[in-house]
Amino acid sequence: MIDDPLLQNITFNDWETALIYFAQQSQQQRLILVLDEFQYLCEDNAALPSLIQRFWDLHGKNSNLFLILCGSQVSFMEREVLAERSPLYGRRTGQLQLMPLSYRDSGRFFSEYTHKDKLTVYGILGGVPAYLNRFAFRSSPNSQEVSKIKIEQHIKEEFLTPQGYLFDEANFLLRMELREPRIYASILHAIANGSTKLNEISQRVQMERTKTNKYISVLRDLGMVKRITPITERAPQKSRKGLYKIADNYLNFWYRFIQPNRSLIESGNADLVYREMIEPNLPDYMGRIFEDVCHQYVSRYWNEKLKITPKRIGAHWGSELEIDVLTENIDGSHWIGECKWREASVGENVLNQLIEKVSKLPIPWQQKPRYVLFSAGGFTEKLRQKAVAENVILIALSDLFI
């Protein structure tokens, strides 16, 4: 912090003068200067990257100034700050792309929610703090007490009204990052509604396969879409079993439920859209989200409890076999898991079916198996007894947040 009472009265006429001033102030101590939303500063002055480059070469690199450039537009930051053609290329000491919060960290926004509600909100919003704040508890304008607004009401207020903060946010994101947002939007809509293979997406958007692949590559670079393959594939990059998924939960929810019903929402039919389109389909939607949550648990938190380090984590699918969680651990063992997002308790039949599936896996993946079941609805007493006897791991919702 600069202890200079004159600073509040100083007016800088140009960027170079301002930067030199801060560099001089840093001669005696480390000074951190943050230029936030850098892309908008450059809109006002396109020469700013060149000005900073000249300043840094002449003054900045020999000072104690720590200059941080932040931007929410990923494509701009990569193109104008990190790319080889940028004036600033080669002058950075490091870069960091802030990723969405995990399901567990997202849940910290909702201390009064049940574990199931926390995961449901995460499935709808993903891990972006600005979105999570929209579903957090709010103070009543007529009372100091904090009241809980039901998830249903949040969805109606934020998604299902044209004035809602999240109603058109997906379009804003695409317009900010991409030059042809309509094409990318059609691809995201296709993926969100079940077209997960390249041929299926191409047919859905009525575009050549090679051209569709180029657009998908851009979405993958932006972290909006990811390609997944069965963990058992020997050459995943060449695998024909690769599927495309929307990586961001907010975009996934928006293109699944909001974009197809936009006309109804704009006509004031929020209750109808929620009752007929969202509520009955939310359990199925959350089933896939729950699988991703279980993968996060295994990847980020499992070692805290089980002291096992997985080398690889994924799933397996084929014409006759699906396994939700499959890991290859450093000790040569394999964890084989099933994820159930349902109200009913999971019983012995689910474990028996999982054990049977292992015999259909490729031989190397049958070595040293151990079984794990994830359940949103808990487990029957018989299964709990069998799990103790056979060293099966049972993970309930509460375990995911410990």
Side-chain angles (χ1 to χ4, degrees):
M1 185 173 180
I2 299 176
D3 185 16
D4 186 353
L6 297 178
L7 182 58
Q8 59 183 338
N9 297 317
I10 295 177
T11 300
F12 298 109
N13 295 320
D14 55 65
W15 276 105
E16 187 174 15
T17 302
L19 292 169
I20 290 175
Y21 169 82
F22 288 113
Q24 291 173 343
Q25 291 295 316
S26 72
Q27 293 303 319
Q28 302 301 321
Q29 61 180 344
R30 186 72 156 168
L31 180 64
I32 300 174
L33 177 63
V34 181
L35 301 183
D36 197 12
E37 294 295 4
F38 188 65
Q39 70 273 9
Y40 298 129
L41 297 177
C42 292
E43 281 184 10
D44 185 61
N45 187 342
L48 184 55
S50 296
L51 292 174
I52 294 177
Q53 175 249 312
R54 184 169 63 247
F55 155 76
W56 194 258
D57 290 346
L58 295 176
H59 308 282
K61 66 181 181 180
N62 296 318
S63 70
N64 288 318
L65 185 66
F66 186 18
L67 180 61
I68 301 175
L69 307 179
C70 299
S72 58
Q73 190 174 340
V74 177
S75 57
F76 176 90
M77 297 300 288
E78 291 181 345
R79 182 178 66 252
E80 302 297 335
V81 179
L82 299 175
E84 187 173 355
R85 72 179 188 87
S86 167
L88 296 172
Y89 180 75
R91 289 163 178 83
R92 63 180 171 84
T93 53
Q95 79 283 331
L96 174 65
Q97 183 177 355
L98 292 179
M99 304 304 292
L101 300 177
S102 69
Y103 77 87
R104 187 180 286 188
D105 291 332
S106 298
R108 298 180 190 277
F109 282 73
F110 313 103
S111 59
E112 302 299 323
Y113 277 41
T114 66
H115 295 309
K116 189 169 186 178
D117 285 344
K118 289 178 182 179
L119 292 184
T120 299
V121 172
Y122 174 75
I124 294 169
L125 303 177
V128 178
Y131 302 164
L132 295 168
N133 272 328
R134 308 300 298 188
F135 276 48
F137 286 81
R138 301 175 185 171
S139 297
S140 170
N142 301 318
S143 172
Q144 295 299 317
E145 295 182 1
V146 178
S147 60
K148 178 178 179 180
I149 300 177
K150 293 181 179 179
I151 294 176
E152 174 183 345
Q153 187 173 345
H154 280 306
I155 292 175
K156 290 177 180 178
E157 290 180 354
E158 305 295 345
F159 284 96
L160 303 184
T161 59
Q163 299 79 27
Y165 179 81
L166 299 172
F167 170 71
D168 211 28
E169 175 73 1
N171 284 327
F172 293 151
L173 291 174
L174 294 191
R175 287 196 291 267
M176 181 175 68
E177 293 284 0
L178 303 164
R179 296 180 180 178
E180 299 174 289
R182 289 187 179 181
I183 295 177
Y184 291 101
S186 65
I187 291 173
L188 290 168
H189 173 73
I191 297 173
N193 288 275
S195 298
T196 55
K197 296 182 179 180
L198 183 57
N199 283 338
E200 296 172 346
I201 299 169
S202 300
Q203 293 173 8
R204 188 76 171 263
V205 301
Q206 299 181 343
M207 187 186 299
E208 294 179 1
R209 176 188 170 102
T210 54
K211 194 172 183 180
T212 302
N213 193 38
K214 290 181 179 179
Y215 283 104
I216 291 176
S217 295
V218 173
L219 291 172
R220 291 177 67 184
D221 289 341
L222 290 172
M224 294 182 179
V225 167
K226 61 183 177 181
R227 181 178 184 268
I228 59 173
T229 56
I231 191 174
T232 50
E233 291 290 284
R234 293 183 177 179
Q237 295 299 326
K238 299 179 180 179
S239 174
R240 296 183 179 180
K241 295 181 180 179
L243 304 177
Y244 291 99
K245 295 177 62 178
I246 297 181
D248 179 89
N249 288 351
Y250 165 73
L251 290 177
N252 196 22
F253 182 85
W254 196 90
Y255 280 101
R256 171 78 179 271
F257 297 112
I258 308 305
Q259 194 264 357
N261 299 300
R262 191 181 180 99
S263 296
L264 282 172
I265 296 169
E266 291 175 336
S267 300
N269 292 291
D271 290 338
L272 173 66
V273 172
Y274 183 83
R275 184 178 65 252
E276 300 295 333
M277 313 299 181
I278 297 178
E279 187 175 29
N281 296 300
L282 197 54
D284 178 66
Y285 171 84
M286 281 301 302
R288 294 298 181 185
I289 299 295
F290 189 51
E291 292 178 17
D292 289 338
V293 166
C294 296
H295 281 211
Q296 279 190 46
Y297 175 76
V298 173
S299 175
R300 301 182 64 163
Y301 307 115
W302 196 331
N303 191 47
E304 297 175 5
K305 181 179 180 180
L306 302 177
K307 310 302 180 185
I308 292 292
T309 303
K311 286 197 302 184
R312 292 197 293 155
I313 303 165
H316 176 87
W317 60 87
S319 58
E320 299 179 354
L321 179 63
E322 284 193 19
I323 296 178
D324 299 334
V325 178
L326 190 55
T327 75
E328 180 184 8
N329 305 322
I330 59 174
D331 64 353
S333 65
H334 297 89
W335 302 80
I336 298 130
E338 194 82 11
C339 309
K340 296 296 183 182
W341 181 265
R342 66 188 190 189
E343 296 290 341
S345 300
V346 167
E348 293 176 279
N349 62 315
V350 174
L351 175 59
N352 294 335
Q353 291 168 5
L354 185 60
I355 294 173
E356 184 179 349
K357 288 179 180 180
V358 174
S359 63
K360 300 177 182 179
L361 284 171
I363 296 298
W365 292 88
Q366 297 182 29
Q367 305 302 313
K368 301 172 67 175
R370 190 176 180 187
Y371 303 99
V372 54
L373 299 178
F374 298 85
S375 173
F379 307 94
T380 64
E381 184 57 33
K382 285 187 177 180
L383 176 57
R384 289 185 179 278
Q385 294 174 3
K386 187 171 184 177
V388 172
E390 300 183 11
N391 200 25
V392 175
I393 301 170
L394 304 182
I395 305 293
L397 288 184
S398 58
D399 298 314
L400 296 174
F401 290 90
I402 296 175

